[in-house]
Amino acid sequence: MKSIELCLGKVKLRLENFSLNHIERQAVDLRQEIFEKIIKDIFTGIERLVIERARCSCGSKLLKDGKDRRIVVTIGGKVSYARSRMICKACGKNYYPLDDAIGLANGAKHSLRATEVVLDMVTDLPYAKTSRHMDKLAHIQVSPQKIAGIVSTEGAKLLGQDEEQRVAAFDKSATFPAEIAKKSLAIVQVDSTGINDRYTKSWMDTKVGIIYSQSARLSKTRNLILDKNVYASLDGVEKFRQNFYLSCHKMGVFSADKVIFVSDGIPWIKKLAKEMFPKAIYLLDLWHLKKNINLAYGKENAELVDNLAELAYYGEAAALLKNVGLDIARCRDPDRSGKLKDLFKYIRSNADGIENYKKVGILGSGAVEKTVDILVARRFKLRGMSWYEKNAAKMLRLRLLKINGEWDNYWNKRFEDNLSRNFRC
Ligand SMILES: [Zn+2]
């Protein structure tokens, strides 16, 4: 255990006004000053310890070569400090023994803890708001542009790890991550939503997949889902499929006794389900089926719609198809006929997902839709928002850490990893 002695001395304060408004302002400034002094004194103590033992990687002794100022933003505010620069006479290499000892990376403007705090806020709030709140509440000055930079660095790190795992599993050695406990039932749901693309002025597809096995009923309308895991990305279908496969694998989906797959019946998701989970029991979301029936028949045919909705509810896909087919034959309105034909195709391609209501009951895609709302809509689809794809991908990855409850674990590991770089002593 290394010990550093601090001597803080006396603090003098000149007050011109006794109101709390005034006092708290002064005291906070003072706190800031004291905090900075504590850090600086600690740095001085550490530098004294490490400087004597500093050696170049070539083995030669280092010589003092002046001092340089550096500013680092910490969770206690900004700290400006001078640290000794040292040079190797033999090979000319430069060192800052203090920065190496405290494990502060070259060029880093924020401590890792300050980085975590900023990211925690910006994953929930817009950049400009985060910047303002950081300053107001934590006295951390960080511009929206800087915050974007922090998101980019950390997001890239996470996406890089994902990609390494994907390549190891699919492109190289077929190495898969370990499975969590074996499950008797796994429920998988996939959905997607559009985010405004600032570059193309159109939209980009965010694909979201969730896996869970247990849900507890809280009330008639609310279910609490336990052990949920979410994967989401802006990648194309193939890459999404591989990464989601890894998530499913980790969650034990492929060794589960029974797998139920729920979706709204969009073709790419249906195809993905068939390829990824050939043995799964496919369920079409009843709400989407009813919505499509409504759209095709229109309000004027409410009675027909009710009858068809009842057939749907009882999982009678064949009867549904027969009825819609008859209505198409009878229909003289080309516009309506087109809509009915679309409905016919939709039911036909999802017939198994309707028939299966008889086997396992009705299970809607509400869980994945709620996830899409919380994970994507609340941060990426606020009024007037648009995103560059690479920024959105990184932000999404950081939000996944949160929604999966992995945030604290991830950061605790990051803090542990941030070991000081002590060269040979
Ligand atoms: Zn050297």
Side-chain angles (χ1 to χ4, degrees):
M1 188 80 79
K2 296 165 196 127
S3 77
I4 305 264
E5 209 167 295
L6 295 178
C7 184
L8 293 168
K10 281 185 189 158
V11 176
K12 267 190 196 155
L13 181 63
R14 198 184 288 275
L15 271 182
E16 283 142 16
N17 186 328
F18 286 177
S19 85
L20 178 59
N21 296 337
H22 199 71
I23 296 167
E24 68 184 337
R25 186 67 259 161
Q26 295 262 74
V28 165
D29 288 348
L30 201 62
R31 183 180 71 182
Q32 180 56 37
E33 222 174 275
I34 294 168
F35 175 80
E36 197 170 356
K37 181 155 174 21
I38 292 173
I39 298 277
K40 277 187 191 173
D41 284 1
I42 295 172
F43 281 2
T44 307
I46 293 174
E47 191 170 68
R48 209 176 291 134
L49 281 175
V50 294
I51 226 166
E52 303 157 20
R53 296 182 291 183
R55 288 278 185 287
C56 179
S57 53
C58 80
S60 301
K61 239 191 130 182
L62 297 173
L63 295 175
K64 279 193 185 169
D65 189 32
K67 284 190 175 233
D68 282 324
R69 191 150 280 284
R70 183 168 186 180
I71 294 170
V72 61
V73 176
T74 72
I75 48 170
K78 195 163 76 179
V79 175
S80 162
Y81 65 101
R83 78 276 202 237
S84 298
R85 185 177 61 241
M86 298 189 85
I87 188 164
C88 170
K89 271 261 163 137
C91 70
K93 233 172 154 181
N94 272 312
Y95 288 95
Y96 293 103
L98 174 62
D99 291 351
D100 289 338
I102 63 175
L104 189 61
N106 286 335
K109 301 253 187 304
H110 303 86
S111 72
L112 205 54
R113 289 194 184 271
T115 301
E116 187 265 339
V117 172
V118 169
L119 288 174
D120 195 345
M121 193 173 274
V122 80
T123 42
D124 288 325
L125 293 176
Y127 293 101
K129 266 188 194 167
T130 301
S131 172
R132 216 173 57 235
H133 292 330
M134 276 294 143
D135 190 12
K136 239 182 191 174
L137 299 172
H139 307 282
I140 294 176
Q141 276 121 32
V142 54
S143 69
Q145 289 74 24
K146 281 257 167 62
I147 297 174
I150 294 173
V151 169
S152 179
T153 307
E154 201 64 33
K157 198 180 164 82
L158 280 157
L159 289 174
Q161 288 169 4
D162 290 353
E163 184 58 9
E164 256 173 48
Q165 209 173 55
R166 189 194 65 79
V167 168
F170 294 99
D171 297 352
K172 277 193 182 151
S173 49
T175 311
F176 288 87
E179 276 180 276
I180 302 174
K182 188 171 156 52
K183 288 179 166 52
S184 55
L185 169 70
I187 298 160
V188 181
Q189 307 195 353
V190 176
D191 197 4
S192 65
T193 188
I195 297 177
N196 287 326
D197 187 327
R198 191 176 295 182
Y199 185 67
T200 62
K201 305 271 183 269
S202 68
W203 55 275
M204 42 198 170
D205 203 30
T206 313
K207 300 169 185 70
V208 179
I210 67 166
I211 305 139
Y212 65 98
S213 57
Q214 290 171 294
S215 76
R217 174 153 279 209
L218 292 181
S219 69
K220 260 191 179 166
T221 51
R222 286 189 63 207
N223 274 319
L224 177 70
I225 288 177
L226 307 161
D227 78 342
K228 184 173 78 171
N229 188 273
V230 182
Y231 178 71
S233 86
L234 290 153
D235 292 324
V237 174
E238 186 52 28
K239 215 167 173 190
F240 171 83
R241 197 171 74 130
Q242 294 187 342
N243 281 317
F244 187 48
Y245 186 96
L246 290 175
S247 291
C248 289
H249 178 82
K250 272 187 246 177
M251 289 295 285
V253 172
F254 300 110
S255 60
D257 299 331
K258 185 155 98 179
V259 179
I260 297 177
F261 186 96
V262 191
S263 88
D264 57 10
I266 285 182
W268 79 263
I269 299 177
K270 182 89 210 295
K271 187 162 171 275
L272 176 125
K274 241 187 204 155
E275 290 166 356
M276 265 182 80
F277 314 100
K279 285 184 205 146
I281 300 168
Y282 172 62
L283 290 180
L284 177 67
D285 179 61
L286 180 62
W287 185 85
H288 279 92
L289 173 57
K290 282 184 179 171
K291 191 181 95 176
N292 282 325
I293 294 172
N294 260 311
L295 283 174
Y297 280 86
K299 279 193 188 107
E300 59 275 32
N301 294 307
E303 208 173 309
L304 272 173
V305 168
D306 280 350
N307 290 338
L308 293 174
E310 200 172 330
L311 287 176
Y313 180 84
Y314 289 108
E316 300 293 347
L320 264 178
L321 277 176
K322 202 174 158 196
N323 276 284
V324 178
L326 285 171
D327 290 332
I328 292 169
R330 276 197 289 262
C331 184
R332 294 287 164 262
D333 172 357
D335 180 47
R336 171 81 62 219
S337 170
K339 284 180 184 167
L340 290 174
K341 278 176 189 159
D342 286 345
L343 177 65
F344 188 87
K345 274 184 223 154
Y346 178 74
I347 295 173
R348 192 177 52 195
S349 73
N350 289 291
D352 52 339
I354 300 166
E355 289 285 341
N356 283 336
Y357 296 164
K358 292 182 207 162
K359 239 191 255 174
V360 290
I362 287 169
L363 182 73
S365 57
V368 73
E369 277 149 35
K370 185 85 197 154
T371 305
V372 166
D373 180 47
I374 292 169
L375 178 71
V376 186
R378 287 186 193 177
R379 183 65 186 87
F380 297 91
K381 296 177 75 159
L382 301 177
R383 195 178 286 268
M385 250 185 198
S386 66
W387 291 79
Y388 289 114
E389 187 184 340
K390 58 178 191 251
N391 296 345
K394 289 164 185 165
M395 178 65 83
L396 184 65
R397 185 61 185 83
L398 284 161
R399 280 177 68 75
L400 275 179
L401 277 184
K402 270 194 174 166
I403 206 167
N404 281 327
E406 293 164 348
W407 185 272
D408 289 341
N409 233 337
Y410 173 77
W411 283 102
N412 285 334
K413 267 197 204 120
R414 287 280 277 130
F415 297 144
E416 293 297 314
D417 285 346
N418 188 31
L419 296 170
S420 66
R421 304 182 299 275
N422 267 322
F423 33 89
R424 280 192 276 162
C425 31

